[in-house]
Amino acid sequence: MLQSDTNRPKLLSVPDALTIARIVRVNHAGEFGAIRIYSAQILVSGWFWPDCVPALSEMLEDERRHCALFREAMPIRKSRPCRVMRFWSYGGWLLGFLTALVGRQGIWACTAAVEAAVHRHLDDQLYFLKGRDPELSGIVLSIREEEIAHLRYAEERLVSPNAVHRSLRFAISAATDSLIWLSTWGDSTRMARVLRASRR
Ligand SMILES: [Fe+2]
Ligand SMILES: [Fe+2]
């Protein structure tokens, strides 16, 4: 497939172009979900945990910028937002709302679990994108820095992780992966398979 952007490889195979389109779609959905999670947490924190609001608001601004970057990256890669953004909208909001009701530890356990899942996905993607799509690789790299900062901030605030925190993180991780899978109709699984194969 011929690409017009000089910052991108001249030739991409059809399967590679498809995987790149999926990467952008999954990432855009994930950032949208993060916006919904943080929005609900900010709402609840405003009632019960106001000290958490400034950090959550900063993270929300980061997620909004990430979401816009992936949206802008879509047209040239023949990608579109996933068809069922409402999964992200309701699912993300509910996840944020419920974890914030648990308290500060619920908020930071949720942030740590979600950001760790995102970080894992981005790492796999960077390996695949290197040499195939330098422009998108650069975008993912810069976003990953901010996701790591979110993860560190949350982890620093988690008091000695006990069994309850570990279970909560595990449940949130599973919920995040399920949301990604549902909202992309399995695109995330197909994408992960290709990314794994590219590492061999
Ligand atoms: Fe993000
Ligand atoms: Fe984040």
Side-chain angles (χ1 to χ4, degrees), residues 38 63 115 147 150:
Y38 285 124
E63 308 304 357
E115 298 290 354
E147 307 297 16
H150 297 173

Side-chain angles (χ1 to χ4, degrees), residues 76-97:
I76 200 174
R77 293 168 180 87
K78 305 213 176 341
S79 184
R80 280 173 303 171
C82 71
R83 288 150 289 187
V84 280
M85 292 297 273
R86 66 177 178 277
F87 275 123
W88 280 110
S89 188
Y90 300 140
W93 200 88
L94 193 65
L95 188 61
F97 188 80

